[in-house]
Amino acid sequence: TRPLVGRGFRFGVDDCYGLFRDAWTRWAGLEIPNFARRWQWWKDSEPLFEQGIHRAGFAAIAAEEMQRGDGVLFKIRSEVFNHIGFIESSEKMLHHPGPARPFNLSHLSRRESLERWLELPHQFIRGPV
């Protein structure tokens, strides 16, 4: 299997949701469905993440319930959630921040401090385990 950290960015394949799906599958042993999305869909305030992730069986949880294996949705310069990370610990998340273009192999997936990202509007989610 491919490593989760260090993937180049390819929208719809190796983007934040693609990375989350792969991390979730490795952690939970369950696959979650992909969903069609067009580049910069969030600019039209389309709630794709909310719809897609909830159809996959994920539900919102309180921040104090957060644990390894959960997800966190973010609103980055958007009215709707447009980014997702995989919780690895109470301090770290795995994610793939998006570049300015839909294809940029030098823009890599990574582990980062969760605390830094929690300054953005966010929601923790838990999947069907």
Side-chain angles (χ1 to χ4, degrees), residues 58-75:
F58 286 77
I61 59 169
E64 55 273 3
E65 296 177 53
M66 182 268 299
Q67 62 188 18
R68 178 169 168 52
D70 291 334
V72 58
L73 296 168
F74 296 100
K75 293 179 181 178

Side-chain angles (χ1 to χ4, degrees), residues 33-76:
N34 202 353
F35 51 86
R37 53 201 180 275
R38 60 184 168 68
W39 178 243
Q40 297 185 334
W41 51 266
W42 57 91
K43 289 187 175 186
D44 294 328
S45 298
E46 192 175 342
L48 270 181
F49 265 129
E50 290 98 315
Q51 294 168 355
I53 206 74
H54 293 309
R55 275 195 302 270
F58 286 77
I61 59 169
E64 55 273 3
E65 296 177 53
M66 182 268 299
Q67 62 188 18
R68 178 169 168 52
D70 291 334
V72 58
L73 296 168
F74 296 100
K75 293 179 181 178
I76 302 174

Side-chain angles (χ1 to χ4, degrees), residues 4-124:
L4 296 172
V5 173
R7 294 181 181 187
F9 188 88
R10 293 183 301 157
F11 181 75
V13 178
D14 287 322
D15 56 11
C16 66
Y17 186 63
L19 182 68
F20 179 81
R21 290 177 63 233
D22 287 351
W24 170 261
T25 298
R26 288 183 192 185
W27 178 79
L30 302 169
E31 288 191 29
I32 55 175
N34 202 353
F35 51 86
R37 53 201 180 275
R38 60 184 168 68
W39 178 243
Q40 297 185 334
W41 51 266
W42 57 91
K43 289 187 175 186
D44 294 328
S45 298
E46 192 175 342
L48 270 181
F49 265 129
E50 290 98 315
Q51 294 168 355
I53 206 74
H54 293 309
R55 275 195 302 270
F58 286 77
I61 59 169
E64 55 273 3
E65 296 177 53
M66 182 268 299
Q67 62 188 18
R68 178 169 168 52
D70 291 334
V72 58
L73 296 168
F74 296 100
K75 293 179 181 178
I76 302 174
R77 294 180 296 280
S78 173
E79 295 295 315
V80 296
F81 292 111
N82 61 348
H83 186 60
I84 189 168
F86 180 83
I87 303 297
E88 291 193 314
S89 72
S90 60
E91 292 88 28
K92 295 282 183 186
M93 77 169 177
L94 175 67
H95 74 127
H96 206 317
R101 295 171 299 175
F103 185 83
N104 184 339
L105 293 180
S106 67
H107 203 82
L108 305 178
S109 60
R110 55 186 160 243
R111 285 182 179 89
E112 283 194 295
S113 166
L114 179 59
E115 182 179 9
R116 175 182 167 262
W117 283 81
L118 294 182
E119 295 174 11
L120 295 169
H122 62 277
Q123 178 183 77
F124 290 101

